[in-house]
Amino acid sequence: MSMQKTISSALISVFNKEGLEPIVRKLHEQSVTIYSTGGTEAFIKNLGIPVVPVEDVTSYPSILGGRVKTLHPKVFGGILNRQDNEQDVQQMQEYDIPQIDVVIVDLYPFEKTVASGAPEADIIEKIDIGGISLIRAAAKNFKDTVIVASVNEYSLFLDTITKNNGATSIEERKLFAAKAFHVSSHYDTAIFNYFNTDDTFYKESVADGKVLRYGENPHQKGFFFGQFDEMFNKLHGKELSYNNLLDVDAAVNLMQEFKNDAPTFAILKHNNACGLATRATIKEAYVDALAGDPTSAFGGVLIANTTIDAATAEEVNKLFCEVVIAPAFDDDAIAILQQKKNRILLVQNDIALPTKQVRTCLNGLLVQDKDNITDGKEHLKTVTTTAPTAQEVDDLIFASKICKHTKSNTIVFAKNKQLFASGTGQTSRVDALRQAVDKANSFHFDLNGAVMASDAFFPFPDCVELAKNAGITAVIQPGGSIKDELSIDYCNQNNVAMVFTGTRHFKH
């Protein structure tokens, strides 16, 4: 059997006809017999190119409102027959089955129909039956048949038959088959997820993986699977790296907490906030965020919850930073920030973020709901005789939002809606607190009157004692320790306000 095969017949049945015309004209030019159905058949006829209706092959009309058109032995026999199998050859002759060398399909747009909010009846009608069956059949028989399973492959197929004068190699057919099985599995996953209500089943299919320069380190391969361009408009800068993307993800999730707040600016490094402030203007917010840790800010990822103007851009331009993210940039701000050729500028589009988090673990995956609880005033339960002031309540909620997005174990200090310091990723809460105190002192922040947030409860009163000695006057924590009363008693004896939220915010 020759591994090089010349196409003599093609079955075309597609939803998306954009880009189909040059293929049809090239096949006609190469004397290929074309079979087709329904709208595709009419499209080809309108081009003035001969086409054989599938009904003429099957002697059976399209029925059930078009639900059944190609599901027939004469169609699938023409696709699945093995040309080097004597019995298959005999049966093709016996039943007068035409050979089909190439199948071109583009499936009904199921995912787009779901995303449009269409009623269920319309969604169900966009579950392709004949098309998906044609794809699997042709891909299975790639030794003899070419499968073009998506509008995304039209260009590649046209290039192939143009270059080879209508012939394909076994390697090319196998490549098209691999792409086809990706199309079919992705399609079936989308349908399953539409119907699935059982959280113990997890299926995900993400197309169009992007090759990154490398992974976390230069010796590791890295890829990004996702629709980055749906979420961001990239205005300027180099390609994002694996580590850039992780920091961008952390920045976006953190700023989501402040989406509807007054102008807020955050600076992140290694997925943690090293500076964050809410102010009357975005410039003031940036200046005070930078003051939180100007050392760590070097090479960081910056994000704002409102438009970055020229005055803010002038300040940002003084700092070496990798990425700047905002919902919008003034034209003057773009011109200023583009002065550094590698600096990445991203406009964040307002789209829904995933509701699940997935990560590899051992020989499998861990899947969980995102931590979608943001501590608010309605969640606070004052457990001490001293109640926090209105200003302290605002600062406690502000600190809690940051704490939720900081690596555990963590302690966050804040005052006047400015991040003073945090202790991040420590193996004990006491160590995290001491780290935060040392960091605040190193940048000359006065902790007197500041508040403290903790991502989990205090098992002993040592943390509140250290905090009081540093100047902290109010504390927010989830509570839930069997020794909560020890911390409450210490606060009562030392005029420290403490509130419980009832919600732990570990981030591992």
Side-chain angles (χ1 to χ4, degrees), residues 41-100:
E41 178 190 338
F43 174 85
I44 296 170
K45 282 182 178 177
N46 287 337
L47 297 177
I49 292 174
V51 57
V52 179
V54 165
E55 291 91 332
D56 289 358
V57 176
T58 63
S59 299
Y60 219 94
S62 171
I63 62 172
L64 306 180
R67 280 188 165 197
V68 180
K69 296 189 288 284
T70 57
L71 296 169
H72 193 280
K74 281 200 170 184
V75 174
F76 281 85
I79 296 168
L80 281 164
N81 73 93
R82 295 157 291 189
Q83 294 178 20
D84 61 346
N85 183 292
E86 185 176 340
Q87 186 175 6
D88 284 8
V89 172
Q90 289 176 352
Q91 289 185 337
M92 291 283 286
Q93 294 172 350
E94 179 181 355
Y95 296 109
D96 191 26
I97 298 173
Q99 178 68 43
I100 297 175

Side-chain angles (χ1 to χ4, degrees), residues 175-236:
L175 173 63
F176 278 111
K179 291 176 179 291
F181 282 124
H182 165 70
V183 168
S184 65
S185 65
H186 182 84
Y187 197 76
D188 285 341
T189 297
I191 295 170
F192 168 79
N193 285 332
Y194 174 75
F195 283 97
N196 182 42
T197 58
D198 187 343
D199 285 342
T200 63
F201 295 144
Y202 178 77
K203 294 183 187 295
E204 190 66 51
S205 177
V206 186
D208 304 322
K210 178 179 176 58
V211 179
L212 304 174
R213 295 196 301 273
Y214 50 81
E216 204 163 7
N217 298 290
H219 62 277
Q220 296 169 269
K221 291 182 179 179
F223 305 87
F224 174 72
F225 292 89
Q227 301 300 321
F228 185 86
D229 292 341
E230 290 182 6
M231 189 161 185
F232 297 104
N233 295 329
K234 184 181 172 188
L235 303 180
H236 180 71

Side-chain angles (χ1 to χ4, degrees), residues 1-9 77-85 88-89 99-103 137-147 168-170 173-174 177:
M1 179 184 67
S2 170
M3 293 293 97
Q4 189 86 3
K5 289 185 174 292
T6 299
I7 296 168
S8 62
S9 58
I79 296 168
L80 281 164
N81 73 93
R82 295 157 291 189
Q83 294 178 20
D84 61 346
N85 183 292
D88 284 8
V89 172
Q99 178 68 43
I100 297 175
D101 299 317
V102 61
V103 175
K140 174 178 180 176
N141 201 34
F142 69 89
K143 285 177 65 178
D144 293 315
T145 310
V146 185
I147 174 62
T168 61
S169 67
I170 184 66
R173 294 192 296 277
K174 193 169 185 178

